Amino acid sequence: MDRPKIPKNLASLMDVYEQPFVMVDRHFTIVAANKKYAEQFGQNPEDIVGCKCHQISHNSERPCAEHGEDCPHLRMFKSGKVEEALHIHTRPDGTKDCVEIKAHPIYGDDGKIQYMGELLNPIDNEESMRKNELVGSSAVFLEAVREASLLASSDLPVLITGESGVGKERFANYVHARSIRSKETFITLDCCGLSETLFESELFGHEAGAFTDAQKKKQGLFELADNGTLFLDEIGEISPTLQAKLLRVIETGTYRRVGGTQTLNANVRIVSATNCDLLEMVKEGRFRRDLYYRLAGHTLCLPALRDRSGDISQLMCHFMQQQKYKTAPTADALRLLEEYNYPGNIRELKYIIELASLKAGTGNIKPEHMPFCVQDYSASLPATEERASRANDLSQSSHENHPVGRRKEDREIMGMDANAVLDILKNVKGSRRNAAKELGISERKIYRLIKKYEDAGFEVPPPYL
């Protein structure tokens, strides 16, 4: 391997950075790396020099742009400006990290950009994210994770907005888990459908005899969540009277149980969530303006699943592993899942996977196992060139459809030889995840490859042989 050489004083200067830092040329070749960068990937700086950046950070032989990721390297050399991106980086042991990347132009003596200086800010590791069921690698999803990680470091209230089913409670739990209150209690209250008396009793507790059926003293959630985090879901549903009482405890940090006279103190961080437009409700007089600004110290907006369809295959794998389903979708079934618009978002996807897995039994999940809403939505979409070509591909002769019998240029799909991919799939007994690791590509790409192979008539090993 040819090892690029840069002045030693420049290479040693990079160790001034407390964060991982690497210099890369136009051809993705690493010319220098500081100790922090090398430590992150379990190597020595001298062993990294000369390697391609995507080999080190993505465990892949191809640049990240070819996997559908936003490549700050390409953007920086094109724009000549500092470019930012969020990526999932893979360590040699297979563990993954969410990192924030800042790509800086480094100029040569001729005034032209010679290198990219890449500064990494680790956000979180995949294990921690999956623990809170935060699964995905799309740009909009990683931006939400980055924002949640940033907000967690503050002790200000957080308002999480987004459609029903996008995972607001998961992100609330994630904010708590990464906060200074992480060792204390996290308590959830769904504000929807509670009467004023019951809601007040839930929040503040009550004394014995405070109302009918109040036979003994009860601690409220503010008392139980002391020093911890209280998550108020669907905060837009509470009445104006309760809004005033909630505002008071947030402003003063004090409250009394229902029917009580003793003043209690509340040291609680409030995280709230809504699928309503609270500012519009403020304009209409249905939500107090002062309470809104108390709750929305920071606002975290979560994307709908239809805006992060590239994460569907990962979410699907997560749910299937969680439920220990011994099955997998065919390429056509995955296409239906990726095309669907998910009005119920991630919650709906989970139910779809559970239903389809039950129908499929021990076999592959096929389009006919999908709920009618998914099948009908796909049927309503306009015909595409890809769909039209599928019928032509499948009508070719059997020996043409076999990868071994094709010319090499016809076997190249998405930059990879079908023979090599299919051989690895056979070796790993059809496991999509293990095949992706062997090939150094994402699970998303292996599913897309399989889809194209099946569309072209290749015989693809089923999973879990």
Side-chain angles (χ1 to χ4, degrees), residues 163-431:
E163 296 178 7
S164 178
V166 295
K168 295 188 286 294
E169 185 172 351
R170 299 297 180 193
F171 271 87
N173 213 325
Y174 182 76
V175 167
H176 170 74
R178 293 179 63 83
S179 73
I180 59 175
R181 299 174 182 263
S182 60
K183 297 186 183 301
E184 305 296 336
T185 308
F186 175 85
I187 294 181
T188 296
L189 175 64
D190 186 348
C191 302
C192 196
L194 293 177
S195 66
E196 286 195 5
T197 301
L198 184 57
F199 184 87
E200 191 173 1
S201 172
E202 284 293 314
L203 275 185
F204 308 127
H206 61 252
E207 299 291 347
F211 52 84
T212 305
D213 296 330
Q215 298 178 2
K216 58 181 180 179
K217 182 177 74 173
K218 175 188 174 182
Q219 290 181 305
L221 297 185
F222 268 104
E223 194 170 353
L224 294 172
D226 193 34
N227 295 318
T229 302
L230 178 58
F231 174 54
L232 302 177
D233 199 7
E234 302 304 341
I235 191 68
E237 299 296 326
I238 65 174
S239 69
T241 301
L242 291 174
Q243 289 176 31
K245 293 183 178 181
L246 181 59
L247 175 64
R248 175 173 175 77
V249 68
I250 292 175
E251 286 186 329
T252 66
T254 62
Y255 65 97
R256 288 195 293 267
R257 297 190 191 103
V258 177
T261 57
Q262 180 184 3
T263 299
L264 303 174
N265 295 317
N267 177 16
V268 174
R269 184 183 191 182
I270 301 292
V271 177
S272 53
T274 181
N275 58 13
C276 304
D277 186 339
L278 289 190
L279 277 178
E280 188 63 30
M281 292 178 66
V282 169
K283 293 177 184 177
E284 295 171 356
R286 295 188 292 127
F287 201 85
R288 293 182 63 114
R289 184 180 298 274
D290 45 6
L291 177 59
Y292 171 80
Y293 286 110
R294 282 290 186 180
L295 295 173
H298 290 305
T299 301
L300 174 62
C301 302
L302 301 185
L305 184 54
R306 60 180 171 274
D307 296 327
R308 44 178 294 216
S309 59
D311 293 338
I312 287 173
S313 62
Q314 294 178 55
L315 286 162
M316 176 198 65
C317 288
H318 173 72
F319 293 141
M320 295 180 77
Q321 290 165 6
Q322 192 179 58
Q323 299 298 323
K324 296 182 172 57
Y325 291 131
K326 298 296 184 180
T327 185
T330 63
D332 282 339
L334 181 61
R335 175 179 57 81
L336 292 184
L337 290 172
E338 291 184 335
E339 289 177 345
Y340 187 53
N341 66 339
Y342 296 99
N345 290 290
I346 299 173
R347 185 184 296 124
E348 184 181 12
L349 172 62
K350 184 176 182 179
Y351 294 152
I352 289 171
I353 294 300
E354 289 176 352
L355 176 62
S357 297
L358 288 173
K359 288 183 176 180
T362 58
N364 285 355
I365 296 175
K366 298 177 181 178
E368 56 265 32
H369 298 137
M370 296 293 168
F372 291 126
C373 60
V374 178
Q375 297 183 48
D376 292 346
Y377 185 85
S378 179
S380 70
L381 297 176
T384 63
E385 185 177 338
E386 180 183 356
R387 288 178 178 171
S389 65
R390 185 179 298 121
N392 294 330
D393 290 340
L394 294 176
S395 67
Q396 295 177 12
S397 65
S398 59
H399 105 268
E400 287 179 335
N401 286 340
H402 195 278
V404 176
R406 293 187 173 195
R407 296 175 302 169
K408 181 178 180 181
E409 55 267 31
D410 293 332
R411 297 198 310 262
E412 287 281 334
I413 296 178
M414 294 176 65
M416 305 189 75
D417 187 279
N419 285 348
V421 176
L422 293 174
D423 284 345
I424 286 177
L425 274 167
K426 290 177 183 176
N427 292 338
V428 298
K429 298 183 178 181
S431 169

Side-chain angles (χ1 to χ4, degrees), residues 86-112:
L86 289 164
H87 274 194
I88 295 292
H89 280 182
T90 304
R91 296 173 184 258
D93 63 1
T95 58
K96 298 181 179 181
D97 300 294
C98 173
V99 296
E100 182 182 34
I101 300 171
K102 288 190 177 182
H104 300 261
I106 298 177
Y107 295 89
D109 294 336
D110 57 1
K112 296 180 180 179

